[in-house]
Amino acid sequence: MTRRALVVGVTGIQGTAIAEQLMREGFEVFGLARRPNTTTGVTPVAADLLDPEALAHALDGIAPTHVFLTTWLRMESEAENIRVNAQMLNNLFAALRPQKSVEHVALVTGLKHYLGPFEAYGQGTLPKTPFREEQGRPDVENFYYAQEDALFEAAERDGFTWSVHRPHTVIGKAVGNAMNMGQTLAVYATICRETGRPFRFPGSQVQWEGLTDMTDARQLAAQTIWAATSPQAHDTAFNIVNGDVFRWNWMWHRIAEWFGIEAVEFDGTSRPLEEQMAEDSEIWAGIAEKYGLAERDLDRLASPWHTDADLGRPIEVVTDMSRSRKLGFTGYIATDDAFFDLFERLVAERIIPAK
């Protein structure tokens, strides 16, 4: 039988990588977004998850066997995040239900499962690290839990299996994405190189000195598809990181070296990227014009607020992924290579200029 995948949020970092890997593994792939792109080999599905009638019409006749959920909508408060994002999933499951085709649904959330939502990110009683899948939910409102509950209820009602995947900060390429550290650092380093500005670490002393990890989008894609197609992994939640650990006081110099610039040693003073890049829109437009780049709008490439949130945390973040290792997932990507591969892709696609 043809394996038919529906990737929800196909224009994002995670969705793009999952769709590309699904095609390599022989799936027929449909990509759903409000404004889907035209990635070669992916059939675009334009729909709004908050419009049930239009969503049902858009999905009529597709009958996916596997669904990959990689999207969410950020609202003004966590209460609204919970209401809206749960409704999006409920609408999707209702639209798919009449076709009775779904065998497995993979939901991508993240380490905010342990750290709490953005409005209380890393505050209050901090969780113990390394984060382990068997740790219970902290007693805090979190839209990830609402998404999980919607998934669990639909799986029990409609008879499909599920998996949940919790990446750390994801490294990958996507234009217009709201959470994009790798691309943000690439743009920031390019601006520093072009203007002679110091390449300063924007985060906290804890992040500069402490151990951390990250998730390449390709590593996430590999685990979600492995879980979707491996019976031993069904109905299970997994952490997913690259498999290595590092300190930013090492990685910052590695990134600077790639761009041919000098990294400034961190002096203990936090200099958030939102402040450093606040006046950079015109500078980036000039760089884009000078080198003939594909995107002049800085806001569609960089997400300083999200990078600041991750690099400013007051807690060392290390993630355990023993659960999937024990069940047979063996993927590994060195994080400096993940950054360098992304930078090469950004050059090749004229997002940043060549070195």
Side-chain angles (χ1 to χ4, degrees), residues 130-149:
F131 297 136
R132 301 180 185 276
E133 292 100 338
E134 59 267 25
Q135 290 176 217
R137 295 177 177 180
D139 186 18
V140 61
E141 288 190 331
N142 192 325
F143 80 89
Y144 281 172
Y145 310 153
Q147 287 183 312
E148 286 186 343
D149 290 342

Side-chain angles (χ1 to χ4, degrees), residues 25-47:
E25 298 196 17
F27 280 78
E28 181 182 5
V29 182
F30 292 78
L32 188 151
R34 283 176 293 178
R35 293 177 293 277
N37 55 22
T38 54
T39 301
T40 302
V42 176
T43 302
V45 180

Side-chain angles (χ1 to χ4, degrees), residues 13 110-112 115-118 121-122 131 144 167-171 178-182 184-185 201-208 210-215 246 248 270 272-273 303-317 339:
I13 295 173
L111 293 195
K112 288 189 292 299
L115 285 163
F118 278 122
Y121 201 37
F131 297 136
Y144 281 172
H168 197 171
T169 306
V170 178
I171 302 171
M179 300 190 297
N180 199 336
M181 181 190 286
T184 298
L185 293 182
F201 182 70
S204 68
Q205 190 80 40
V206 171
Q207 292 303 306
W208 180 252
L211 289 172
T212 192
D213 47 34
M214 292 185 73
T215 306
F246 64 91
W248 275 105
S270 177
L273 286 181
S303 53
W305 69 272
H306 177 257
T307 299
D308 289 340
D310 278 1
L311 296 183
R313 287 182 300 217
I315 180 176
E316 182 178 84
V317 176
F339 274 119

Side-chain angles (χ1 to χ4, degrees), residues 184-202:
T184 298
L185 293 182
V187 168
Y188 172 59
T190 298
I191 291 172
C192 288
R193 185 178 64 197
E194 290 294 314
T195 63
R197 184 187 304 174
F199 186 59
R200 298 185 183 278
F201 182 70

Side-chain angles (χ1 to χ4, degrees), residues 68 81 85 92 108 121 129 152 171 199 219 221 231 263 281 309 336:
F68 298 84
N81 280 339
N85 287 282
L92 176 68
V108 179
Y121 201 37
T129 59
F152 301 155
I171 302 171
F199 186 59
Q219 175 85 331
S281 293
D336 54 343

